[in-house]
Amino acid sequence: MINYYLNNDVSMSKVAASHNLLCSQIFIWLKLFMEGGSETLKPKKKSRSSKMSKMTKKDARKILKKESDEIAALKSELRQAKMERDILKKSLLLFGPSKLRRKQ
């Protein structure tokens, strides 16, 4: 299409209409062609970056096990903190803040 546009005396809008495209797409392709030649218009291979490491199932299981152990430890710690909080609340109800001030 870029070749057709450059070699024939046709407007960008007519080229776009004849190929059922938007005029802006023709303009983008023309700009790319002018900046980098026909190589910039060729489709690029789509794939994952080779920099990404592939994780095996065994590694994934290890990570999941470690995270689940950490979650269990955090839940236990939270349970302990809640019990301590409840004990403190009950002791304040029984002894009250005013009784603590008199002793000091």
Side-chain angles (χ1 to χ4, degrees), residues 22-74:
L22 296 174
C23 188
S24 60
Q25 185 62 55
I26 302 289
F27 180 76
I28 291 169
W29 287 340
L30 180 64
K31 185 178 176 185
L32 287 172
F33 178 76
M34 295 295 197
E35 289 174 356
S38 62
E39 290 297 316
T40 58
L41 297 175
K42 289 184 179 177
K44 292 168 182 62
K45 183 181 176 185
K46 294 181 181 179
S47 66
R48 281 189 170 184
S49 174
S50 61
K51 294 178 185 175
M52 293 179 69
S53 64
K54 293 185 179 180
M55 188 183 304
T56 63
K57 285 184 180 180
K58 190 175 181 180
D59 293 337
R61 285 188 194 118
K62 284 182 183 178
I63 291 172
L64 285 175
K65 174 76 172 126
K66 184 179 177 182
E67 288 178 352
S68 65
D69 290 346
E70 185 179 351
I71 290 171
L74 289 171

Side-chain angles (χ1 to χ4, degrees), residues 1-12 15 26 30:
M1 284 173 265
I2 300 301
N3 192 20
Y4 180 79
Y5 172 73
L6 292 174
N7 291 330
N8 297 313
D9 190 26
V10 181
S11 69
M12 221 182 265
V15 173
I26 302 289
L30 180 64

